[in-house]
Amino acid sequence: MSGDRPFLPEPEPSPAQPQPQHSSKRTLLLWIVLIALFVAIWSFLAPDTPQKQPPVPSRFGGWWIGLIPAVPVVGFAVYFVRTYKQALGFDLALEPGRRAMAERRFQDAARAYAEVASAHAKHPVYASSAASQCAAARLAAGEIEHARALFTEVEKNRSVLFTSAIRLHAAIQLGMTNALLGELDAAEAWVNEVRTRFRKTKDERLANASLLCLVEAVIELRRGRRADALQLLE
């Protein structure tokens, strides 16, 4: 058992707490793009109104003015394609680790996932997802303390939403690793924390609830309550 004190759940961030600046800028940019897209579509579909006076010819020419509504549409398309390619590239990068996990080469899987997390360090969600899978590989290899340390890093990452599936899974696994290490009070604290988060997320609820039951069964078994552990596993 490690001599270090286990990491315990922290209070949920206050709604009044300011969000990271990059997130606010991204939200503002998205709203601008959506508004521009709406105006462009409305201008394209709006019926032509008769003009009482012939338009005054411009010395600069007016052909390029018609391209202005297309700018936000093209920008949105570029953003969508770029995001899709990033997600596809991340998913493909995980394949070596998944293959190693399927072949029970847990050390190789952990190294592969760690490389993916390092390569996507500038993208917190991708990096945290890969780090979480690296921790799962370490846990499968029997490196419980190492796995707990990695899950702790994922849970402490404030660049990922508090109620996201990534941090919820990390919280469940912190319950499991603490239970396996005999830190039963810390494990129960994480179980209670996860049950609180369940009310605020709809991501993978069935799979996470099943994993949480397994954590509770391990806790009951470590406390010597074998019958209660078996009942949770039914």
Side-chain angles (χ1 to χ4, degrees), residues 1-45:
M1 185 184 303
S2 173
D4 298 334
R5 297 181 60 184
F7 174 65
L8 297 176
E10 297 181 359
E12 181 178 358
S14 172
Q17 181 179 357
Q19 297 296 324
Q21 186 176 3
H22 65 86
S23 178
S24 301
K25 289 183 177 180
R26 186 177 302 175
T27 303
L28 179 60
L29 178 61
L30 180 60
W31 273 108
I32 293 175
V33 171
L34 290 176
I35 292 173
L37 183 62
F38 171 78
V39 173
I41 295 175
W42 180 84
S43 300
F44 179 76
L45 298 178

Side-chain angles (χ1 to χ4, degrees), residues 41-79:
I41 295 175
W42 180 84
S43 300
F44 179 76
L45 298 178
D48 296 334
T49 56
Q51 297 180 352
K52 296 181 179 180
Q53 298 180 354
V56 179
S58 173
R59 60 178 179 176
F60 299 105
W63 63 270
W64 57 272
I65 298 179
L67 298 178
I68 295 178
V71 173
V73 178
V74 174
F76 182 78
V78 170
Y79 173 78

Side-chain angles (χ1 to χ4, degrees), residues 210-221:
S210 300
L211 184 57
L212 183 63
C213 283
L214 180 59
V215 175
E216 292 177 312
V218 173
I219 294 173
E220 294 298 328
L221 192 61

Side-chain angles (χ1 to χ4, degrees), residues 10-13 155 160-164 167-168 193 197 200:
E10 297 181 359
E12 181 178 358
E155 169 57 24
V160 181
L161 289 177
F162 182 75
T163 56
S164 66
R167 289 185 60 180
L168 178 64
E193 170 67 15
R197 295 191 195 182
K200 303 175 183 180

Side-chain angles (χ1 to χ4, degrees), residues 63-154:
W63 63 270
W64 57 272
I65 298 179
L67 298 178
I68 295 178
V71 173
V73 178
V74 174
F76 182 78
V78 170
Y79 173 78
F80 176 80
V81 172
R82 181 183 178 186
T83 302
Y84 174 77
K85 286 185 176 180
Q86 287 178 346
L88 182 61
F90 174 72
D91 194 61
L92 291 175
L94 293 176
E95 281 303 310
R98 292 169 176 168
R99 190 180 306 113
M101 287 291 289
E103 297 172 356
R104 301 184 65 81
R105 294 184 289 109
F106 302 127
Q107 298 287 354
D108 293 339
R111 284 192 291 268
Y113 288 137
E115 290 177 359
V116 175
S118 178
H120 292 80
K122 295 182 178 181
H123 301 276
V125 174
Y126 291 155
S128 294
S129 178
S132 180
Q133 295 182 66
C134 177
R138 294 294 182 188
L139 181 59
E143 301 175 15
I144 304 176
E145 293 189 2
H146 194 172
R148 181 173 67 172
L150 290 173
F151 282 124
T152 298
E153 291 180 4
V154 174

